[in-house]
Amino acid sequence: MACKKEIPQEKIDLKLLNWLNDTSLFSQDHGMQRLPLYISQNLKHSLRDYQFSAIHNLDAVEKLDKKDDSYNQLMFYMATGSGKTDIMAAIILYMYQAHNYQCFLFTTSTTAVVNKTIDNLTNIASPKYLYQDPLVINGQRVSIKVVSEFPISLEKNTIYLKFSGIHQLSNDINSPRENGITEESLKKHKLVILADEAHHFNVGTRSKKEDITNRSWEALLDKIRGLNPDNQQLEFTATIDLHNPDIYHKYQNKIIAQYDLSKFINDGYSKRVYRLQANNSDEDKMLNAVLLSQYRKRIAQNMGIPDFKPVILFKSNTIKVSKDVNERFLTMIDNLTAESLQNFVQSQNRSTRSEALSLAYKYWLNQNFGETVAELKRDFQEFTTINANDSGKKDILDNGSVAQKLNTLESPTNPIRSVFAVAKLSEGWDVLNLYDIVRIGEKNIKPNDTNAEAQLIGRGARYNPFIYKGKKSYTRRFDDRKPEIQLLERLYYHTINNPQYLENLRKSLDAINLPVNEDTKYKIYTANVKSSFKRTDAYKHGNVYYNKVEVVPAEHYNSILKYGFDPETTEPIDMISTTTERKFDTGADKDNRSLFPIVNAAVFSNPADKALIRTAISFNPFFRFESLKQQCPTITSVREFLTSDSWLGHAVVRVRVANEHQLTPYERLTAVERYLLRVQNALVNNFQRSKGTNQFEKVAVNEVVRDYEKRVGDNFNDPKTAKIGPYEMKGRDWYAYDYAIVDQLEMHFINRIGAEIPNFRKKYDQIYLLRIDERNTDFKLHDFGESVYRYEGYMPDFIMYLKNENYVYQIYMEPKGTAFVEKDRWKEELLERIDPKNIIILEDNDDVKLFGVKFYVEDKGKQDLHYMFPELREKGLLTDN
C-alpha cells in the first residue's frame, strides 16, 4: 500500500487564521477591541495577549454575517502549558453571555484530563480553580452546575457543565441508560462541545486499530454536533500534524488560534529547555541529577525564595527497568558516604563538559560533604519518591493516590522530589516545578518513544511562578542574570548517548517546534498636583517630617517578640487545601476560610509534643545552635530557645483544617515545619534592623507631593476587596491633588474632613490635606520608644498641613478598615506617640508642631469608631462648631 504524500511545509496555508490575524481587523467591527468586564472580572488570571487574541478571533468568527455550518467546528492550536484551560474558562463566559449558551459538554480521551478540568472549572476549594467566587455578571450571580444530563428546563443565571471521557460518552450515546444523556435529550438545547486533546479525534495515520477507534470518536462528535443546528464544537490541542493531507484539508479553515511552543518559550512564558548529554552510567546520571537539583534548591534558599522544591523525573522505556532503577536509586542514596560523594564530584568535575554540572560541582566542592550527604539522604528517600508506573493500559493518573501526589508536586506539604515513570505522563499532568528529566536505558529506541518524550519535555517546560522578593512572576526574570541563577528557570533533559535516539529526538522536538539548546490587565489612574497648590507657600517652601533611624544593638534581641513575632497569636497555618474533601455545591459553597475550624497541631510546652518538635527541628539546619546563635546572640542553647517563656516556650502551632478533619501525624509534622519556617523568616529578616528615634527631620513638601500613577486591578466583584477609583477634587482647594485615587472608606474620610473645613478655617490661614503614596516616595515613619517590636517603615495615608500666624501644625492621619485594625494596632500606637512632648524636631525649629491621631474607622454605617475627630478637638487642633 502506498504511503500518503506529505504536504510540503511551505504549502500549509491556514486561510481562516490568516484572515483573523490581519491587524486591520482590530480597527474594524470584526472582533472585540478589549476583553469584556464580564470575563475579566470573573477570571482569577488576567489573560495574556495571545489568550485574548484567541477570544478575539472566536468573537470575529461568531459575528460573521454569513456564518454557516462550516464554522461550527473550530480549533485552538495552543502550546502545552500556554493556558488552554484559561481560554476555555473565558469561552464559557463568552458563549453564555454573548450568545446565550447555557449547556457545555467537555470531553477528552483521558480520564485524568477530565478530572483536572472538573477541578479547574468547578472546584472552588482547588488552588487551580479559574473563576472568581462568586461569579457575577451584570450584577447577577451566575451558578455553575455539574450535571450528568442537561435538564429539560434551564434555570436563569445558570451554566451547566457535563464532563465525560470520550469512551464514556460513546457508551452513553450508543447504549442509553437511565439518568444518562441521549440523542433525544441533547436535541433540546443548543450546546457547545469543548473537545480537549483533540488530536485524538482527528483523522490520522495511526495504526489500523487506533485509526478505527479515533474515527468512531470523530463520528460521535460529528453526530452530537449535528443534533441541533446551533450546536458548536470548539477543539483544543497542542499537537496536530498539518503535514498529513487529511488533517490539513479538514482544519485549514477551522484553526482560529495558533501559539506554538517555540513562540511560547521565546516570549518568556516557560522555562528554557536544555539538553544535557552524558556518557555516564545510569547511577552516575541519577546522582548528577540529584546534585544539580539540590544545587538549585540551595540557590533558591540563598536568594530567599520560599518553598522552592525542584523535582526530578526518571524516565524509562519499560516498567521492569523503571522499577529496577527506582530500587537502584534508593540503594545508591542509602550507600552514599561523604568520601564516596567527594570522590564522585572531584572525578566528574575533571571530565564534564556541562556548564550546569560544572557550576554544581564547583559549589559542592566548597561544602561540607558530611552535611551534604545527610541532606541528600533526607531529601531523596523512599518517602520522597513515587513510582508512577501503570500496571496495564489504565492511565496512571487515574490512580487516586498517585494522581494526588503527582498533581500537587508544587505544594510545600508534598514531600516528593523524585518520580519514576515509563509513559502516560505526556497528557493531563500539570507540573510546574519539574526541572530535570533523566532518560534511563538505551534499548528499544523507537520514533514513537521520542514523540512521547518531546510532549513530556513540553509539559515539563511550564514556568514555575515562584515568589522572589515578595513577588510572583509568570514569565522568566533571570535571563540576564548569572548562569547559576538562570538554573531556577531552566529544564534539563538528561539524554542517553545513542545516535539513533538523538536523531529521533531531534525530529520529534522539531515536529512540535520545541527549541532545545541550548504575564494582567490594570486600570491606571493618574493624580496630578493641582496648579493652584503649586503656587502656595506650603508647596514652595514648606516641609513635612519623618523620624531618623538607628541600628538596633544585638543585646536588644532578648526575646522572640523583639523580632516582631508573637508565638501565641500568629495566624493559623492554612492546611485546608491538603485536608479538604469538599463536595461542590454550585452557588452556595463559598470559600470563606474563616468558617473552617482551627486546631492545635503542637504545643511547645506539652511534653507529649516534644518528639514531634525535635523531629521538625532536625529537618532544618538553621535551628542548629551555631546557626541559631548568629541570629539570636542572647540565647545560650537550643533548649532555651524552645522552652523559655521569652522565646518559644508558649508557642502554639495552630492549623486551619477542613471540617471534621483529624490531623495525621505527617500533617502535624508538616504544620510544625511550616511554623518553624515562619520563625526562621522573622529571625533572619528582623535581626540588626533599624528602629526609629524620637528625632524628626524635614523633607520638602514638593519632594513628597508629586504627580503619581496608581495601578488598580480590573477585578472589582470580590466583596472583600476595597473598590479603588478616582474621585474628582475640583472645587476643594484644600486637597492637593486634582483626583483622589482612593477606596470608599478613604473617600468617606476625605468627605468628613471636607465637612470640618469651616471649623478648621476658624483657626488656620492655610489648610491642606496631603495624600501620601508610599510607592511615590521613601518618606516613612518608624516605630520608636523603649520597646520596639516592628521595624518596617510606615507612612500614614494622609498628612493634614495647617498653618496660622504662630505655628505650622502637621497631623498624621489614616483611615483603616476594621479587618486591619488589630493587625495594624502597632501603627496606631506609633501615631499616638507622635506628640510635641515626646519628640524633638531637629534644627531647633520651634515653629512646627507634630501630632498623630487614632485611626479613622467605619463599620456598618457607623463612623469614626476610634473617635479621631473628638481627639482632634481634645488636642486643641480643631474647634467646635
Side-chain angles (χ1 to χ4, degrees):
M1 180 176 176
C3 295
K4 288 185 178 178
K5 206 172 180 182
E6 286 196 350
I7 298 173
Q9 188 158 356
E10 63 271 14
K11 288 190 177 181
I12 290 180
D13 181 18
L14 304 177
K15 297 178 180 178
L16 177 59
L17 183 61
N18 291 339
W19 177 77
L20 289 167
N21 286 343
D22 186 341
T23 56
S24 64
L25 278 179
F26 284 86
S27 60
Q28 301 173 13
D29 295 329
H30 294 290
M32 61 180 68
Q33 304 303 304
R34 60 187 59 84
L35 200 64
L37 290 179
Y38 66 81
I39 296 179
S40 62
Q41 291 185 348
N42 285 300
L43 291 182
K44 276 192 177 175
H45 303 148
S46 296
L47 294 187
R48 300 166 180 169
D49 289 343
Y50 65 86
Q51 293 170 325
F52 168 69
S53 178
I55 305 298
H56 169 278
N57 288 357
L58 175 62
D59 184 52
V61 172
E62 291 297 316
K63 289 177 178 176
L64 288 174
D65 292 336
K66 297 181 180 179
K67 182 176 180 292
D68 54 25
D69 289 350
S70 62
Y71 294 112
N72 68 6
Q73 182 183 8
L74 301 169
M75 172 173 278
F76 297 82
Y77 179 20
M78 313 292 288
T80 294
S82 61
K84 295 194 296 293
T85 317
D86 282 297
I87 296 173
M88 199 180 298
I91 286 173
I92 290 172
L93 297 179
Y94 167 76
M95 296 300 289
Y96 166 79
Q97 181 65 17
H99 299 288
N100 301 314
Y101 283 84
Q102 290 185 254
C103 298
F104 296 83
L105 169 62
F106 175 90
T107 189
T108 188
S109 67
T110 311
T111 304
V113 178
V114 174
N115 294 335
K116 177 195 73 173
T117 309
I118 291 174
D119 222 32
N120 290 343
L121 298 179
T122 69
N123 182 8
I124 61 174
S126 170
K128 296 186 178 182
Y129 182 59
L130 298 178
Y131 290 122
Q132 295 288 350
D133 178 41
L135 197 158
V136 178
I137 297 178
N138 292 340
Q140 298 292 315
R141 180 163 178 165
V142 177
S143 297
I144 296 179
K145 290 188 175 180
V146 182
V147 295
S148 57
E149 60 176 331
F150 297 109
I152 296 174
S153 298
L154 304 181
E155 299 175 13
K156 286 183 62 178
N157 301 324
T158 304
I159 293 172
Y160 297 92
L161 298 181
K162 175 173 173 58
F163 298 87
S164 178
I166 192 68
H167 302 83
Q168 185 60 52
L169 184 63
S170 177
N171 292 337
D172 288 344
I173 296 298
N174 296 320
S175 303
R177 56 188 175 82
E178 189 175 357
N179 297 324
I181 60 172
T182 63
E183 290 186 35
E184 289 302 316
S185 68
L186 289 175
K187 290 179 181 178
K188 297 182 184 299
H189 309 294
K190 62 181 183 180
L191 174 70
V192 177
I193 303 168
L194 302 169
D196 200 10
E197 306 293 352
H199 51 279
H200 291 296
F201 309 139
N202 302 332
V203 175
T205 55
R206 292 169 280 268
S207 71
K208 185 174 181 181
K209 180 179 178 182
E210 289 176 326
D211 195 38
I212 292 172
T213 301
N214 287 290
R215 284 178 184 275
S216 67
W217 292 346
E218 185 177 31
L220 173 66
L221 295 182
D222 289 343
K223 177 191 290 187
I224 294 174
R225 192 173 67 253
L227 293 175
N228 187 308
D230 292 323
N231 283 356
Q232 299 209 46
Q233 183 170 323
L234 304 179
E235 302 181 1
F236 303 81
T237 188
T239 307
I240 183 170
D241 184 8
L242 292 174
H243 293 284
N244 179 294
D246 291 330
I247 294 177
Y248 170 70
H249 289 302
K250 176 179 178 181
Y251 282 100
Q252 62 177 326
N253 282 315
K254 297 184 185 300
I255 294 176
I256 63 169
Q258 182 177 16
Y259 192 70
D260 62 31
L261 266 173
S262 62
K263 186 162 179 57
F264 184 58
I265 291 176
N266 291 332
D267 286 349
Y269 289 115
S270 77
K271 307 182 188 87
R272 288 197 183 277
V273 182
Y274 285 73
R275 183 175 67 87
L276 197 161
Q277 180 180 327
N279 295 316
N280 295 342
S281 66
D282 289 341
E283 283 79 2
D284 288 352
K285 280 192 295 187
M286 288 191 291
L287 187 52
N288 275 328
V290 165
L291 290 170
L292 183 57
S293 181
Q294 202 69 2
Y295 177 42
R296 277 197 191 87
K297 184 177 178 181
R298 287 280 191 96
I299 292 171
Q301 289 174 341
N302 292 337
M303 294 176 66
I305 298 172
D307 300 326
F308 189 91
K309 185 192 64 170
V311 170
I312 308 171
L313 172 66
F314 296 101
K315 175 78 169 60
S316 303
N317 263 23
T318 67
I319 294 174
K320 182 178 184 302
V321 170
S322 185
K323 289 182 176 178
D324 176 60
V325 168
N326 190 169
E327 292 176 4
R328 285 157 51 198
F329 173 81
L330 294 175
T331 301
M332 175 188 73
I333 297 294
D334 191 51
N335 291 338
L336 207 59
T337 65
E339 183 181 6
S340 67
L341 182 61
Q342 183 174 3
N343 291 338
F344 176 82
V345 173
Q346 289 173 339
S347 172
Q348 294 284 305
N349 188 44
R350 288 191 291 267
S351 61
T352 186
R353 296 182 181 180
S354 164
E355 178 189 38
L357 290 177
S358 293
L359 291 169
Y361 296 147
K362 181 179 178 181
Y363 174 81
W364 293 118
L365 284 169
N366 289 294
Q367 304 303 306
N368 182 299
F369 278 98
E371 292 181 0
T372 299
V373 168
E375 182 178 317
L376 295 181
K377 290 188 176 185
R378 185 179 70 243
D379 278 22
F380 295 92
Q381 54 172 300
E382 188 169 4
F383 178 65
T384 65
T385 297
I386 185 170
N387 193 303
N389 290 302
D390 51 335
S391 57
K393 294 289 186 182
K394 186 178 179 182
D395 193 318
I396 61 174
L397 293 181
D398 292 343
N399 181 302
S401 174
V402 172
Q404 194 277 333
K405 291 178 181 177
L406 289 173
N407 288 328
T408 59
L409 284 174
E410 301 97 336
S411 171
T413 62
N414 183 324
I416 300 301
R417 289 291 304 278
S418 54
V419 179
F420 290 81
V422 172
K424 306 295 181 73
L425 284 175
S426 57
E427 291 178 6
W429 190 35
D430 290 331
V431 59
L432 305 179
N433 58 332
L434 179 63
Y435 282 90
D436 293 276
I437 302 175
V438 183
R439 182 64 159 86
I440 301 294
E442 303 196 18
K443 297 180 179 179
N444 302 321
I445 306 302
K446 302 175 183 176
N448 282 345
D449 295 332
T450 55
N451 290 340
E453 287 171 31
Q455 291 294 325
L456 178 59
I457 296 169
R459 300 196 81 82
R462 294 184 175 198
Y463 188 74
N464 182 20
F466 52 82
I467 296 172
Y468 176 59
K469 291 187 175 180
K471 296 181 180 179
K472 180 180 285 192
S473 174
Y474 293 89
T475 55
R476 291 193 306 274
R477 43 190 154 178
F478 298 147
D479 281 354
D480 297 325
R481 300 288 294 274
K482 296 178 180 178
E484 53 265 40
I485 295 177
Q486 291 184 38
L487 288 175
L488 304 182
E489 297 180 332
R490 291 182 179 180
L491 170 71
Y492 278 82
Y493 188 59
H494 305 241
T495 67
I496 58 178
N497 188 24
N498 179 296
Q500 186 57 55
Y501 167 80
L502 294 175
E503 178 62 18
N504 290 342
L505 179 63
R506 183 190 64 78
K507 291 179 179 178
S508 296
L509 295 170
D510 288 346
I512 62 172
N513 294 311
L514 200 168
V516 176
N517 37 44
E518 325 172 8
D519 180 99
T520 146
K521 299 184 184 297
Y522 291 92
K523 290 180 179 177
I524 300 178
Y525 300 127
T526 301
N528 296 312
V529 181
K530 289 177 178 175
S531 299
S532 58
F533 182 66
K534 288 183 177 180
R535 293 191 293 268
T536 65
D537 183 69
Y539 181 79
K540 293 178 180 178
H541 308 294
N543 300 301
V544 288
Y545 295 82
Y546 67 100
N547 56 335
K548 295 183 68 175
V549 297
E550 62 184 10
V551 175
V552 181
E555 59 267 21
H556 170 80
Y557 294 94
N558 57 9
S559 78
I560 192 72
L561 291 174
K562 298 291 182 68
Y563 295 82
F565 186 89
D566 189 337
E568 295 186 47
T569 63
T570 185
E571 283 290 306
I573 293 167
D574 189 346
M575 295 185 69
I576 295 173
S577 60
T578 59
T579 62
T580 186
E581 294 182 359
R582 294 162 59 190
K583 293 184 178 178
F584 183 76
D585 181 12
T586 303
D589 194 11
K590 292 188 66 173
D591 190 4
N592 186 347
R593 293 183 177 244
S594 64
L595 300 179
F596 288 91
I598 296 173
V599 300
N600 289 347
V603 178
F604 276 61
S605 60
N606 184 359
D609 291 340
K610 285 186 178 179
L612 177 70
I613 294 166
R614 281 198 302 269
T615 301
I617 286 283
S618 70
F619 287 164
N620 190 337
F622 174 84
F623 290 101
R624 293 169 187 161
F625 181 70
E626 296 79 9
S627 173
L628 192 60
K629 180 73 172 176
Q630 294 178 20
Q631 303 299 135
C632 306
T634 65
I635 65 167
T636 59
S637 66
V638 175
R639 184 177 184 278
E640 177 192 357
F641 181 77
L642 296 177
T643 61
S644 168
D645 291 348
S646 297
W647 297 95
L648 296 182
H650 288 308
V652 178
V653 182
R654 302 182 306 146
V655 176
R656 196 182 299 278
V657 298
N659 290 320
E660 301 180 3
H661 180 81
Q662 298 293 321
L663 287 174
T664 66
Y666 173 69
E667 288 168 345
R668 292 180 63 216
L669 177 62
T670 298
V672 176
E673 287 185 275
R674 290 173 62 179
Y675 183 89
L676 289 170
L677 282 175
R678 289 187 184 179
V679 174
Q680 177 181 344
N681 289 335
L683 297 179
V684 171
N685 294 333
N686 290 324
F687 181 55
Q688 291 189 331
R689 292 284 297 274
S690 296
K691 72 170 184 173
T693 69
N694 68 339
Q695 299 179 345
F696 280 67
E697 56 187 347
K698 66 184 180 182
V699 59
V701 167
N702 53 37
E703 290 185 24
V704 175
V705 180
R706 298 179 296 185
D707 299 346
Y708 70 93
E709 291 183 344
K710 193 174 187 71
R711 296 195 306 171
V712 179
D714 208 12
N715 178 5
F716 294 98
N717 66 306
D718 188 344
K720 300 185 289 297
T721 302
K723 311 290 191 294
I724 297 175
Y727 296 85
E728 190 173 9
M729 292 289 109
K730 185 177 181 180
R732 303 189 187 193
D733 58 348
W734 46 269
Y735 194 81
Y737 289 97
D738 57 354
Y739 281 89
I741 306 172
V742 293
D743 60 33
Q744 292 178 354
L745 170 63
E746 292 169 327
M747 195 61 218
H748 289 170
F749 166 77
I750 293 172
N751 289 336
R752 181 68 185 271
I753 291 288
E756 295 285 357
I757 290 297
N759 294 319
F760 279 111
R761 293 198 192 281
K762 295 175 183 178
K763 191 175 177 69
Y764 308 102
D765 301 324
Q766 297 181 35
I767 304 164
Y768 300 107
L769 184 63
L770 311 180
R771 168 72 175 184
I772 307 299
D773 188 272
E774 287 192 25
R775 285 160 293 196
N776 195 40
T777 177
D778 292 329
F779 174 56
K780 288 179 172 62
L781 300 177
H782 289 79
D783 202 2
F784 65 96
E786 291 298 320
S787 299
V788 174
Y789 299 147
R790 307 299 293 252
Y791 308 100
E792 60 264 41
Y794 154 69
M795 176 49 63
D797 291 333
F798 297 93
I799 295 178
M800 196 83 181
Y801 184 101
L802 307 168
K803 185 177 181 180
N804 58 24
E805 59 184 9
N806 297 317
Y807 297 104
V808 171
Y809 296 86
Q810 292 184 19
I811 311 168
Y812 301 92
M813 302 172 163
E814 173 142 347
K816 184 67 63 175
T818 54
F820 301 99
V821 167
E822 190 60 36
K823 175 185 175 185
D824 289 344
R825 186 170 299 281
W826 73 272
K827 296 179 181 178
E828 187 173 46
E829 293 171 352
L830 165 59
L831 295 182
E832 287 284 275
R833 277 195 288 277
I834 301 176
D835 188 275
K837 65 178 180 289
N838 297 330
I839 65 174
I840 299 171
I841 297 178
L842 300 179
E843 301 179 5
D844 297 325
N845 193 336
D846 295 329
D847 297 334
V848 176
K849 306 279 186 186
L850 305 183
F851 292 88
V853 290
K854 292 185 177 72
F855 292 152
Y856 176 83
V857 181
E858 290 184 357
D859 186 34
K860 298 178 181 178
K862 296 180 180 180
Q863 297 185 341
D864 200 11
L865 296 181
H866 285 208
Y867 304 107
M868 187 194 82
F869 283 94
E871 184 180 3
L872 288 172
R873 289 187 164 87
E874 182 182 322
K875 292 177 182 290
L877 299 170
L878 178 62
T879 61
D880 291 327
N881 294 327

